[in-house]
Amino acid sequence: RISFILIFILSFFPLKKIISKEKPDYLIIHLITSLPLILLLIFNFETKFILRISGLPKLGFFRKLLWSFALKKVFMITCPSQKTLNYINSLNIVDKKKIKLLYDPIINVNEITIKKKENTNKIKFNIDNYYFTAGRLTKQKNFLFLCKAFKEVLSQHPHLKLVIAGEGEDKKKILSFIKKNNLENNLFLIGYAENIFYYMSRSKGFILSSLWEDPGFVIIESAFCRVPVISSDCDTGPKELIKNDVSGILFHSNSAEDFLKRFNEFLKLEKKVNKFLLNNLKMSKKFTLFNHYLSFKNHLS
């Protein structure tokens, strides 16, 4: 909060000066949005403000109060998922015509095509037939749950392996669990990977264990890499992207029992995997840079 206050104070007049002097047609505001919204409330600008929402917002008292006044002057609000759009609509604090669904520009086709082929990571490993997951090692990503659930998988399929790429506050807990249960030959925590696409594209499947996502970038990236997806049905995101048994496998969020059941079902669905990959590839194309550009352009016209 101290950093936020400092940024607000130091940026207030410089941002006002830029908007007043440069007079851009549009200003897209994202993350630290209270500063431009307060400027919009106080001053009259020719510039049209666009609020880009990323993730389902938590509305505390201050944000709800600010939004109830400032959003009346905003030109447009973009949401990354249908559920977030529905939530913003339900608040009834802004004209619903201003609220647009705009998928994030996640897929850079040329970049991912190159990264799939080149292992530029500092960490190298020689592991075959592994499942892969990646993200911050935090409560949200729920990797400790995944390790515990995968331990149950190993009781039936001891040859399987899971590779986790990421850093975060849960690292010690995860490493302790792996060591305590003698899983060093099956569960691999490889740290931060600059290029996850090399590892992702060579895996037997990508597993998302998150408690919440909006929408879940790694699912979309996996789909584009033609990798089968096994995901929790956590709130906002995966259920919009993955259709159960049509484009992937969904298990009940935070349920080890359902994860084991659905994972075993996935192992028996080898004949359907190509169908999964085709449906997922179609889904991921909505998130390319080019399609984002076309959609945004259409909203502005």
Side-chain angles (χ1 to χ4, degrees):
R1 294 190 178 186
I2 293 174
S3 299
F4 171 82
I5 292 170
L6 284 174
I7 292 171
F8 188 97
I9 294 172
L10 295 174
S11 303
F12 187 90
F13 289 106
L15 181 58
K16 176 185 178 297
K17 183 179 180 181
I18 289 173
I19 299 172
S20 300
K21 183 178 179 181
E22 300 294 335
K23 297 180 180 179
D25 293 330
Y26 303 98
L27 177 69
I28 300 173
I29 59 178
H30 181 52
L31 297 181
I32 301 180
T33 58
S34 58
L35 171 56
L37 287 177
I38 288 174
L39 282 172
L40 183 61
L41 270 178
I42 298 172
F43 304 101
N44 291 317
F45 298 110
E46 294 181 22
T47 298
K48 297 175 180 176
F49 284 49
I50 298 172
L51 172 61
R52 178 180 179 266
I53 294 176
S54 181
L56 192 68
K58 295 181 180 179
L59 288 188
F61 173 78
F62 174 75
R63 178 182 280 184
K64 191 168 184 178
L65 183 66
L66 176 61
W67 277 22
S68 64
F69 290 102
L71 295 192
K72 291 180 174 62
K73 298 183 70 175
V74 164
F75 173 71
M76 184 191 300
I77 301 167
T78 67
C79 301
S81 68
Q82 186 62 50
K83 184 151 189 177
T84 297
L85 185 146
N86 293 341
Y87 172 70
I88 300 300
N89 269 330
S90 71
L91 297 175
N92 292 318
I93 58 176
V94 63
D95 184 351
K96 293 181 180 180
K97 293 180 181 179
K98 292 183 177 182
I99 307 171
K100 308 292 184 181
L101 178 63
L102 182 65
Y103 295 120
D104 287 321
I106 298 167
I107 302 299
N108 184 324
V109 176
N110 292 334
E111 180 183 355
I112 293 177
T113 301
I114 293 171
K115 286 188 172 182
K116 283 168 57 179
K117 298 176 182 178
E118 298 180 2
N119 188 2
T120 56
N121 297 294
K122 294 180 181 179
I123 299 172
K124 314 285 192 220
F125 66 82
N126 296 312
I127 304 171
D128 296 321
N129 298 321
Y130 61 89
Y131 290 85
F132 184 68
T133 188
R136 301 182 307 279
L137 308 183
T138 61
K139 177 182 177 181
Q140 176 195 352
K141 302 301 180 182
N142 213 18
F143 287 138
L144 186 57
F145 155 81
L146 178 58
C147 290
K148 293 177 180 178
F150 207 80
K151 177 176 177 287
E152 298 303 314
V153 170
L154 292 172
S155 66
Q156 299 179 16
H157 311 283
H159 64 287
L160 297 182
K161 299 176 179 66
L162 174 67
V163 174
I164 303 172
E167 293 284 353
E169 61 259 31
D170 282 353
K171 182 176 182 178
K172 289 184 179 179
K173 294 179 183 178
I174 295 170
L175 286 173
S176 175
F177 176 82
I178 293 172
K179 186 175 181 180
K180 183 178 179 180
N181 291 276
N182 300 313
L183 298 172
E184 292 91 339
N185 294 323
N186 297 94
L187 270 60
F188 302 88
L189 184 57
I190 63 172
Y192 172 74
E194 182 179 319
N195 174 14
I196 67 167
F197 299 106
Y198 182 84
Y199 300 140
M200 181 184 284
S201 62
R202 285 159 177 76
S203 70
K204 292 176 67 65
F206 186 90
I207 303 175
L208 183 97
S209 54
S210 297
L211 295 172
W212 69 88
E213 291 286 352
D214 194 24
F217 286 8
V218 283
I219 291 179
I220 298 159
E221 291 166 341
S222 299
F224 185 77
C225 288
R226 296 184 62 77
V227 174
V229 174
I230 305 165
S231 173
S232 72
D233 61 356
C234 63
D235 202 22
T236 68
K239 284 186 287 188
E240 286 187 32
L241 302 175
I242 304 298
K243 304 303 178 186
N244 218 358
D245 297 331
V246 175
S247 56
I249 294 291
L250 291 173
F251 64 90
H252 297 322
S253 181
N254 217 31
S255 171
E257 181 181 356
D258 197 55
F259 175 82
L260 179 60
K261 175 186 174 184
R262 300 296 288 155
F263 190 88
N264 282 329
E265 289 175 4
F266 171 78
L267 293 178
K268 297 174 183 178
L269 292 175
E270 291 185 8
K271 293 181 180 179
K272 284 188 175 182
V273 166
N274 286 333
K275 182 180 178 182
F276 284 0
L277 299 182
L278 179 61
N279 290 334
N280 261 348
L281 186 62
K282 291 177 181 177
M283 174 274 290
S284 67
K285 287 183 177 180
K286 296 188 295 186
F287 296 87
T288 63
L289 289 168
F290 183 63
N291 280 325
H292 176 84
Y293 157 74
L294 291 178
S295 182
F296 201 10
K297 183 180 178 182
N298 182 56
H299 288 324
L300 293 176
S301 61

